[in-house]
Amino acid sequence: MYILEPDSKTPLHIQLFNAIKEDIVTNYGVGEKLPSIRKVASTYNLSKTTVESAYTQLYAEGYIESKPKSGYVVIDTYFDEFKSERQEEPISPKTKVYKYDFFPARLSKDSFPLKLWKRLFSKAIDELLDFGAYLDGQGEEGLRVEICKYITASRGVKCSASQIVICGGFSDSMGLLAKLVKPKYGTFGMENPGYHVARRVYEEYGYSVVKISVDKNGIDLKELENSNAKLIYITPSHQYPTGVSMPISNRLKLLEWAEKEDALIIEDDYDSELRYSSRPIPSLQGLDNSDRVVYMGTFAKSLSPALRVSYMVLPNHLLPLYKESYDAHFPRVALTTQKTLELFMAEGHWERHLRKIRTLNKKKHNLMRDLLKAKLGDSMEILSQGGGLAILIYPTSTAFDIEKLKTLAEEKSIKLYFAKERSGGEFEALRMGFGGFSEEEIKEAVDVFVGVWENSI
């Protein structure tokens, strides 16, 4: 039986044509006869003209032919091969939904100021948007001015709005920079362990990737000096994933190395707003007096990853290169998003939101930390805490069975995340994300997790 909808905007003869065509491909063999036009019209209460139109289209497209005294039959058009391919096409498995997901970089849904954002969005459309004009490929000047004010005051970044490029998320920022500097730098140095997305982006652009070890003071400067890398990516304020911070002495040595070697440093300040036990460490870029640092920031960790808004501060010597590039002509973020975010910052909502989000996530951080300490005791060690959206832990016993932990967690619908899976190197830690939970959910999730942990010892 074919399902036809009289009220559909699609004409009935087209609906019938599509239904019979699918039936031919799926169920008919070569030479098999189709029901007569009169029978189809009677069965589905259709006019003879409607059925004739459908059959005429099937004939025109080579699915059927008319044989004297036999009516319409299916032509040999290799449908058997087509059917076999269709039947063997793999069905994508459904993504498993976990009851307890410790994702290490997620904000809770209710942390986004949705009502305020809607109001500012409407205001931006009514007052700020010119839909008849071409956009600034570097990003709207008003938003760049607001970002410049913010990072100058809060992170000690030295820049003007003219140095800022608005991008569509971290990987977009990295990809744009990779294209700009490829003629000069063919080797990409990065921390080991380090952020897998950075590595993947530069591999995609054909760079040779060199991994430099990380110790308690951040990237190993001696190892860096002995490498051939002159383009280096680092997370100096809160190293990903170990959480260590680079001391001021090493920062100055790194800048001295960059000036001496004509090198370029990419500073990723990915979660600088989320510090709970100390003041944010000033940016490396703010110490740079020789234009050797590209500063990268994002709104993903503190406002919303869904907005896909990031930015980078280019050294002055890279600005002409950027302005001459093809990418400088086309914006990377929607005008409505840029203008709404501009209003959000200009009217003081961003600063208020940051205070709220820090307070909220500090409570979650402390709650999860205290629960883990109280319930797991000496069976685990906290490797990193005090910032970001996750606490890093690892078992203290060599008898602990990590593979069993993973298996039991799956059985209890718990999604766990391990540092080695995404960062490379030998550093391993269980990344206990708390940002996506409410406080009550943290208590429940930790209780279930503790049961799984204890059964893995």
Side-chain angles (χ1 to χ4, degrees):
M1 292 293 293
Y2 305 138
I3 299 174
L4 306 177
E5 299 179 4
D7 296 330
S8 172
K9 293 182 179 179
T10 304
L12 281 171
H13 73 279
I14 298 297
Q15 293 186 53
L16 181 62
F17 161 74
N18 288 329
I20 297 176
K21 180 178 69 173
E22 180 68 21
D23 198 13
I24 290 171
V25 171
T26 306
N27 300 313
Y28 276 75
V30 175
E32 281 194 55
K33 182 179 176 182
L34 267 66
S36 68
I37 290 175
R38 181 178 295 177
K39 182 175 182 180
V40 173
S42 174
T43 302
Y44 293 97
N45 194 25
L46 298 171
S47 71
K48 184 179 177 183
T49 302
T50 297
V51 182
E52 284 179 340
S53 296
Y55 273 48
T56 298
Q57 189 63 32
L58 289 166
Y59 178 83
E61 293 193 16
Y63 287 94
I64 60 176
E65 65 179 357
S66 177
K67 289 193 173 183
K69 300 182 181 181
S70 296
Y72 289 98
V73 296
V74 174
I75 301 175
D76 185 358
T77 51
Y78 303 100
F79 288 136
D80 287 340
E81 293 182 16
F82 184 55
K83 282 191 285 188
S84 124
E85 288 176 6
R86 287 168 59 93
Q87 291 165 357
E88 293 172 6
E89 183 177 323
I91 299 174
S92 299
K94 292 183 179 179
T95 302
K96 180 175 179 179
V97 177
Y98 291 86
K99 188 174 182 181
Y100 309 101
D101 191 340
F102 288 91
F103 190 75
R106 177 174 292 151
L107 295 165
S108 59
K109 183 179 179 180
D110 58 3
S111 67
F112 184 77
L114 184 58
K115 289 183 179 179
L116 173 60
W117 191 264
K118 286 180 178 179
R119 178 170 65 80
L120 295 176
F121 181 88
S122 296
K123 184 177 180 181
I125 290 178
D126 292 339
E127 300 177 14
L128 299 181
L129 270 61
D130 180 357
F131 287 104
Y134 284 95
L135 308 187
D136 188 334
Q138 192 170 337
E140 293 301 292
E141 184 178 15
L143 177 57
R144 288 188 282 116
V145 167
E146 293 303 325
I147 291 174
C148 181
K149 290 178 184 176
Y150 167 66
I151 59 179
T152 299
S154 68
R155 305 296 301 120
V157 173
K158 296 185 293 190
C159 72
S160 65
S162 64
Q163 293 174 256
I164 295 174
V165 180
I166 307 298
C167 298
F170 172 78
S171 58
D172 186 46
S173 296
M174 290 292 274
L176 174 55
L177 184 63
K179 285 192 285 185
L180 287 179
V181 302
K182 183 66 188 293
K184 184 172 183 178
Y185 303 102
T187 300
F188 176 72
M190 64 176 293
E191 300 161 322
N192 186 34
Y195 192 28
H196 70 288
V197 173
R199 172 181 56 79
R200 290 290 298 274
V201 168
Y202 278 78
E203 284 178 342
E204 288 289 331
Y205 280 95
Y207 283 76
S208 173
V209 176
V210 175
K211 297 180 180 181
I212 312 295
S213 301
V214 169
D215 58 27
K216 64 180 181 180
N217 294 318
I219 196 165
D220 188 318
L221 296 181
K222 287 291 184 185
E223 192 173 325
L224 173 61
E225 290 171 0
N226 293 330
S227 75
N228 63 342
K230 297 296 182 285
L231 173 66
I232 184 73
Y233 165 79
I234 60 171
T235 51
S237 296
H238 190 215
Q239 201 276 330
Y240 177 91
T242 66
V244 301
S245 298
M246 181 181 289
I248 184 65
S249 58
N250 280 28
R251 290 171 178 243
L252 294 174
K253 290 177 183 177
L254 180 62
L255 291 171
E256 184 180 345
W257 165 83
E259 183 176 11
K260 177 183 175 183
E261 298 293 335
D262 190 22
L264 189 65
I265 301 167
I266 306 169
E267 178 184 12
D268 180 6
D269 209 14
Y270 71 101
D271 66 355
S272 60
E273 293 92 3
L274 300 179
R275 304 285 291 186
Y276 311 125
S277 57
S278 63
R279 290 177 59 84
I281 299 171
S283 69
L284 176 71
Q285 193 268 5
L287 301 171
D288 179 25
N289 294 318
S290 57
D291 237 14
R292 294 293 168 184
V293 179
V294 178
Y295 178 87
M296 292 200 170
T298 176
F299 291 91
K301 297 296 189 295
S302 299
L303 183 58
S304 169
L307 291 178
R308 303 304 299 164
V309 181
S310 61
Y311 55 90
M312 61 178 173
V313 179
L314 292 176
N316 286 297
H317 67 87
L318 287 183
L319 284 174
L321 192 63
Y322 166 73
K323 291 183 181 297
E324 292 167 5
S325 72
Y326 180 80
D327 294 276
H329 301 289
F330 304 102
R332 314 176 83 83
V333 176
L335 177 61
T336 50
T337 300
Q338 291 192 56
K339 285 299 185 181
T340 305
L341 183 54
E342 176 188 331
L343 286 175
F344 188 71
M345 300 183 79
E347 295 183 4
H349 303 298
W350 170 238
E351 293 286 354
R352 287 190 286 274
H353 173 77
L354 280 181
R355 289 194 292 270
K356 175 184 174 182
I357 211 75
R358 281 195 202 104
T359 300
L360 176 65
N361 283 299
K362 181 178 181 179
K363 287 181 180 179
K364 293 180 182 181
H365 168 277
N366 292 347
L367 175 60
M368 180 170 282
R369 178 198 61 198
D370 294 345
L371 287 171
L372 290 173
K373 282 183 175 180
K375 295 177 180 292
L376 299 184
D378 295 337
S379 68
M380 68 94 189
E381 176 187 4
I382 293 180
L383 303 179
S384 178
Q385 61 165 316
L389 295 168
I391 295 172
L392 274 61
I393 68 171
Y394 200 71
T396 53
S397 171
T398 55
F400 192 94
D401 191 336
I402 289 290
E403 293 305 316
K404 186 177 181 181
L405 174 70
K406 293 178 181 179
T407 300
L408 293 176
E410 283 288 325
E411 292 174 0
K412 292 291 185 180
S413 194
I414 301 173
K415 180 63 174 174
L416 299 178
Y417 299 84
F418 292 83
K420 192 184 293 186
E421 293 173 353
R422 293 300 184 97
S423 61
E426 295 303 314
F427 177 80
E428 183 62 293
L430 185 54
R431 305 167 65 204
M432 302 293 290
F434 52 81
F437 293 118
S438 67
E439 292 183 50
E440 283 304 314
E441 288 170 339
I442 288 175
K443 295 174 184 177
E444 181 180 341
V446 170
D447 278 342
V448 178
F449 168 75
V450 166
V452 169
W453 179 279
E454 289 175 342
N455 286 322
S456 301
I457 298 176

